[in-house]
């Protein structure tokens, strides 16, 4: 858990986006962080200290002079592992850039050596103003992390750039900033989800894979600094910070993977169909026309193709969802597909694999050793898989 027990000062400035900081606070706490809320005077016009104090189990602070501490900004700044400003107004950005401290939050920003993540939110005209952009450029050049706002609905019903980044994206960025960064500069391709092989325009042959494990691996890789391409057929949320390629069939997944086959790391977490209908009916098959015979043909084995073409230094990871003889089947797949590791799970066990939030796997490595990863979140499994990949890359 990258954020577990990390002390994060959450700076909340004014503007209507301040209410979204409540969700940011909740998500940081869910991720295990110890959150210290600091609200500016303008933020207090939008949200209350009570909300943040109750959520964070720590009194929200607002002033340099009214709390019990005589010098609260230096304590806050010195003890923080990370400062997140969400939302950050143009005023806050301007003061921080110029080194002006006129309230508790700006004073804390100047009194810290911790990393700082600034998440701007403002009207499009202000966001695009050269002064704001120049200030953000200066902050970036000083090593401050800036998470750009999104396009969307703004205060007053206007639509445009300047909407605070999604709270999930802010937390993912915080994880990336505090993460081990052992995948910095590494190109990672992850496939996820079950493919759908059409029979006719309305029916398909599919499987029960939800894609959650693959998406967790993509999210973990992003948080460790990788450049991630997620090739997915799943309908679950896409992790922040990935390049996403949406596919549906095994053939589409093959084409997408082939475009990225030289990546440093490829993780085939997708449940790719082994067979597809050899012909797809143009029109819906009608019940009245009798029981249809669906003839199948094999799909291309993407993982085996990667294994055959692998380049030196590349790490190729396969998955194996099994219902019997897990160890023997996984070892056989490792050999047959020339992979570096196979992550196997027994999908017939409780709480494991398809559609569950949890998983328990065994990582079978090329050198004949294996590691049991006990029941835990899919993110925990993702961490263990990437730990094994990182170790393998260190041996090259
Ligand atoms: N895989 C693939 N292309 C396919 C089928 C599978 O790349 N056409 C990959 C999966 O993404 C997974 C690994 O191969 O990483 C193992 O998939 P699995 O379906 O368990 O293995 P199969 O080769 O289908 O073997 P079996 O049917 O014997 O279980």
């Amino acid at each position: 858990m990258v954020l577990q027990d990390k002390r994060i000062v959450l700076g909340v400035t004014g503007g209507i986006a301040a209410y979204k900081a409540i969700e940011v606070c909740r998500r940081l706490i869910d991720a295990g962080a110890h959150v210290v809320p600091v609200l500016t005077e303008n933020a207090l016009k939008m949200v209350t200290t009570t909300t943040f104090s109750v959520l964070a189990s720590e009194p929200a602070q607002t002033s340099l002079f009214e709390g019990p501490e005589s010098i609260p900004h230096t304590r806050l700044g010195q003890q923080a592992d990370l400062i997140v400003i969400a939302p950050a107004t143009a005023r806050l950005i301007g003061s921080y850039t110029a080194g002006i401290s006129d309230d508790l939050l700006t004073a804390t920003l100047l009194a810290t050596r911790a990393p700082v993540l600034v998440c701007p939110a403002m009207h499009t005209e202000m966001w695009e103003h050269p002064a704001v952009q120049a200030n953000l450029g200066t902050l970036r050049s000083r090593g401050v992390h800036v998470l750009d706002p999104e396009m969307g609905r703004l205060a007053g019903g206007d639509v445009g750039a300047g909407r605070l980044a999604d709270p999930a994206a802010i937390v993912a960025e915080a994880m990336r900033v505090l993460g081990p960064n052992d995948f910095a500069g590494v190109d990672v391709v992850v496939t996820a989800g079950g493919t759908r092989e059409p029979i006719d325009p309305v029916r398909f042959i599919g499987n029960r894979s939800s894609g959650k494990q693959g998406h967790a691996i993509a999210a973990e890789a992003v948080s460790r600094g990788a450049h991630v391409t997620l090739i997915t057929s799943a309908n679950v949320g896409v992790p922040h910070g990935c390049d996403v390629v949406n596919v549906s069939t095994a053939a589409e997944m093959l084409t997408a993977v082939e475009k990225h086959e030289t990546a440093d790391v490829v993780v085939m977490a997708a449940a790719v169909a082994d067979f597809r209908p050899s012909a797809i009916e143009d029109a819906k098959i009608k019940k009245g026309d009798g029981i249809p015979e669906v003839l199948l043909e094999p799909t291309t084995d993407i993982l085996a193709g990667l294994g055959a073409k692998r380049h030196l230094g590349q790490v190729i990871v396969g998955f194996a969802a099994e219902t019997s003889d897990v160890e023997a089947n996984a070892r056989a797949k490792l050999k047959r597909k020339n992979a570096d590791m196979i992550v196997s799970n027994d999908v017939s066990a409780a709480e494991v694999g398809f559609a569950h939030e949890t998983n328990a796997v065994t990582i079978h490595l090329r050198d004949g050793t294996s590691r049991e990863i006990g029941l835990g979140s899919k993110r925990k499994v993702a961490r263990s898989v990437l730990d094994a990949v990182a170790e393998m890359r260190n041996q090259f």
Side-chain angles (χ1 to χ4, degrees):
M1 296 286 277
V2 175
L3 299 185
Q4 188 68 46
D5 300 326
K6 288 288 188 285
R7 196 173 166 85
I8 299 181
V9 171
L10 174 60
V12 184
T13 67
I16 190 64
Y19 80 94
K20 273 203 193 167
I22 297 170
E23 181 61 11
V24 175
C25 184
R26 193 189 66 75
R27 284 176 179 264
L28 288 171
I29 288 162
D30 281 355
H34 179 99
V35 179
V36 186
V38 174
L39 278 63
T40 64
E41 214 171 287
N42 284 344
L44 290 174
K45 299 201 170 89
M46 302 288 162
V47 290
T48 70
T49 49
T50 317
T51 321
F52 285 90
S53 300
V54 170
L55 260 177
S57 308
E58 157 119 17
Q61 302 190 41
T62 58
S63 163
L64 272 164
F65 305 109
E66 276 156 25
E69 287 253 27
S70 48
I71 41 169
H73 59 295
T74 48
R75 290 279 166 279
L76 285 172
Q78 284 163 354
Q79 291 172 354
D81 293 303
L82 172 69
I83 299 184
V84 178
I85 313 292
T89 55
R91 185 196 70 83
L92 181 283
I93 292 165
S95 300
Y96 184 26
T97 309
I100 296 168
S101 66
D102 55 2
D103 62 7
L104 178 58
L105 185 56
T106 45
T108 303
L109 281 169
L110 298 189
T112 193
R113 295 200 171 122
V116 175
L117 170 60
V118 171
C119 309
M122 62 198 75
H123 247 71
T124 311
E125 293 82 352
M126 296 171 77
W127 168 245
E128 290 174 351
H129 195 285
V132 172
Q133 289 303 319
N135 285 340
L136 288 169
T138 304
L139 290 179
R140 281 197 178 95
S141 72
R142 291 178 188 155
V144 172
H145 303 269
V146 178
L147 183 59
D148 282 351
E150 300 173 347
M151 294 286 293
R153 190 163 287 277
L154 306 166
D158 292 344
V159 175
R163 189 180 157 90
L164 180 69
D166 192 69
I170 294 172
V171 175
E173 192 62 13
M175 286 183 180
R176 199 190 60 73
V177 171
L178 287 180
N181 233 25
D182 53 350
F183 279 75
V186 179
D187 263 325
V188 175
V189 170
V190 181
T191 67
T195 62
R196 294 175 165 196
E197 309 304 327
I199 298 171
D200 68 13
V202 295
R203 302 181 180 91
F204 60 83
I205 298 175
N207 61 66
R208 293 173 52 197
S209 168
S210 66
K212 287 179 183 170
Q213 185 61 74
H215 283 217
I217 290 171
E220 175 68 13
V222 169
S223 79
R224 290 163 75 154
H227 172 259
V228 180
T229 305
L230 174 61
I231 300 170
T232 180
S233 57
N235 282 325
V236 286
V238 167
H240 161 74
C242 305
D243 289 344
V244 180
V245 183
N246 288 300
V247 296
S248 179
T249 64
E252 287 169 9
M253 191 166 274
L254 171 67
T255 306
V257 171
E258 280 180 342
K259 278 197 190 132
H260 299 276
E261 64 189 10
T262 56
D264 303 307
V265 179
V266 184
V267 182
M268 285 293 305
V272 188
D274 291 328
F275 306 102
R276 65 172 158 239
S278 46
I280 307 167
E281 295 296 331
D282 291 335
K284 185 182 172 194
I285 301 170
K286 301 302 282 181
K287 192 163 54 180
D289 294 343
I291 298 171
E293 269 188 18
V294 180
L295 214 67
L296 301 177
E297 65 180 17
T299 58
T300 304
D301 192 318
I302 305 171
L303 180 58
L306 289 167
K309 288 188 267 184
R310 55 182 308 131
H311 65 76
L312 205 69
Q314 190 177 34
V315 177
I316 297 174
V317 181
F319 269 68
E322 305 288 350
T323 53
S324 60
D325 294 330
V326 180
E327 169 82 28
N329 281 329
R331 285 259 157 237
K333 266 174 209 175
L334 187 66
K335 252 205 164 116
R336 195 168 73 237
K337 305 199 186 205
N338 197 23
D340 295 293
M341 63 184 88
I342 290 279
V343 182
S344 72
N345 55 359
D346 180 351
V347 286
S348 61
E351 310 293 321
V352 171
F354 294 148
H356 289 293
E357 297 303 325
T358 50
N359 210 354
V361 303
T362 307
I363 302 174
H364 309 265
L365 299 160
R366 216 184 162 89
D367 64 5
T369 61
S370 49
R371 294 178 194 176
E372 300 276 340
I373 313 299
L375 191 67
S377 68
K378 290 193 169 173
R379 185 66 184 248
K380 179 188 152 207
V381 169
R383 206 166 302 131
S384 303
V385 170
L386 290 187
D387 286 348
V389 171
E391 279 171 39
M392 199 166 268
R393 283 175 51 78
N394 284 338
Q395 288 162 13
F396 291 140

